[in-house]
Amino acid sequence: MPETERSLPVRDAQFFRRWMTVAAAAVEREADRLTELDSPIGDADHGSNLLRGFTAVRTALEADSAASPGAVLTLAGRTLISTVGGASGPLYGTLLRRTGKELGDAPEVSDEALRKALYAGVGAVAQLGGAAPGDKTMLDALVPAVAELGTSYRAAADAAENGALATVPMLARKGRASYLGERSIGHQDPGATSAALLLGALADVAEAS
């Protein structure tokens, strides 16, 4: 077998547990900022909702022996759906559950398998929310991030961060912010911002592995 094939990294369940744990810490750190971003264009609860959800994810993973990457993400997604109010729970829950389903029961997965699974997860989010890039939603961070996953996890995280920043001049076409019409312009989308946190956590864990 060529050296390049032998040296390709694989990711086990512990990698995905660390991803969720680091993501939970990022949400805890940025919860107030997420709520602040949500205040002028939403219900001012994005940070508190995600904090409750990812705290529950951390607790669920500590109590569960999910032994595969797919099982870890499926559990995380199911927990978010059951604990997070508003649109965030179903959207983030769908992202992680669909990604986990795509990974299946394999005890270890390649970075390419994760990229393809996340692509499917993002597609499921788009279908559920009826949104597309440019609508000022979490997809404005997720879509460019998935496109860069083939480059590196850090490139994906940077693309997500840039995508979130790019929502500032956008007119919201979906979600609570769309009710404001042109008043939604000039505000960074909180969903895109939290999506960037999730991708940033993934990059941090990958770089530390």
Side-chain angles (χ1 to χ4, degrees):
M1 181 183 296
E3 179 61 28
T4 54
E5 292 183 19
R6 287 200 302 269
S7 61
L8 287 176
V10 289
R11 312 296 182 178
D12 60 9
Q14 288 305 314
F15 175 90
F16 288 84
R17 287 175 177 274
R18 288 195 298 273
W19 178 20
M20 292 298 100
T21 299
V22 172
V27 168
E28 182 175 10
R29 184 178 64 248
E30 298 293 333
D32 289 345
R33 175 172 172 253
L34 293 174
T35 292
E36 182 180 346
L37 291 174
D38 196 35
S39 295
I41 60 175
D43 295 322
D45 59 0
H46 189 61
S48 58
N49 280 344
L50 282 189
L51 178 59
R52 180 171 63 253
F54 274 94
T55 298
V57 166
R58 188 160 45 194
T59 300
L61 288 173
E62 289 172 352
D64 192 278
S65 58
S68 69
V72 170
L73 293 187
T74 298
L75 175 61
R78 187 167 66 244
T79 302
L80 289 174
I81 289 172
S82 65
T83 58
V84 179
S88 299
L91 291 170
Y92 274 108
T94 294
L95 173 67
L96 296 179
R97 284 182 64 182
R98 179 58 182 274
T99 301
K101 180 180 178 181
E102 291 293 318
L103 292 176
D105 298 326
E108 295 179 330
V109 299
S110 67
D111 288 339
E112 176 62 13
L114 177 54
R115 185 191 69 78
K116 290 180 178 178
L118 278 170
Y119 183 84
V122 171
V125 169
Q127 184 176 26
L128 177 63
D135 286 341
K136 201 182 183 90
T137 72
M138 63 194 297
L139 289 177
D140 289 301
L142 291 175
V143 170
V146 170
E148 287 295 328
L149 273 173
T151 303
S152 71
Y153 287 111
R154 182 55 59 190
D158 290 344
E161 181 66 27
N162 290 335
L165 293 173
T167 63
V168 174
M170 291 179 181
L171 173 71
R173 297 187 176 90
K174 295 291 180 181
R176 176 69 177 81
S178 66
Y179 303 156
L180 299 177
E182 292 192 357
R183 285 182 294 159
S184 66
I185 296 173
H187 300 283
Q188 184 168 325
D189 182 68
T193 305
S194 58
L197 291 178
L198 186 65
L199 270 296
L202 177 58
D204 289 345
V205 171
E207 290 172 353
S209 298

